[in-house]
Amino acid sequence: MGVQDSLETVQWDVSEAAHITVDNDYCVTCEDKPCLHLCPAECFDYQADQKGGIYFAYEPCVECGACMVFCGNDPEKGAVSWSKSEGGKGVEFDFG
Ligand code: SF4
Ligand code: SF4
């Protein structure tokens, strides 16, 4: 089963509060933009009209943690800020 097939088996109880935010000021300086290729939920979108920055949508996030690795939660090194989804919200996996 591919990633897209897997994503069709999950559901979301979307919180009104974003559990991940992205600092676009940093993104405009990021040449490779690995997020565009490595986020399995395609939460990151290139925005040429934002001076080459990133539009980020937290809603389809599957909380895989990959962006913590390829971008980082360190203000000195990356643009991604992570926090836990509020209780019970976010992606719901069916392991049945
Ligand atoms: S989110 Fe991270 S990897 Fe993506 S463009 Fe911004 S700085 Fe680069
Ligand atoms: S945690 Fe995973 S799915 Fe969510 S934004 Fe980061 S890379 Fe994408």
Side-chain angles (χ1 to χ4, degrees), residues 16-82:
E16 291 186 12
H19 64 292
I20 297 176
T21 58
V22 174
D23 182 352
N24 215 15
D25 288 343
Y26 192 96
C27 296
V28 296
T29 70
C30 177
E31 292 188 5
D32 295 338
K33 294 182 170 47
C35 55
L36 299 177
H37 311 289
L38 297 178
C39 171
E42 299 181 347
C43 294
F44 299 80
D45 190 21
Y46 179 66
Q47 296 289 295
D49 61 352
Q50 290 185 23
K51 301 177 184 174
I54 289 291
Y55 172 78
F56 178 75
Y58 73 96
E59 291 89 343
C61 173
V62 294
E63 301 180 26
C64 69
C67 54
M68 290 288 289
V69 177
F70 64 67
C71 184
N73 196 31
D74 183 338
E76 300 293 322
K77 298 177 182 172
V80 172
S81 295
W82 251 84

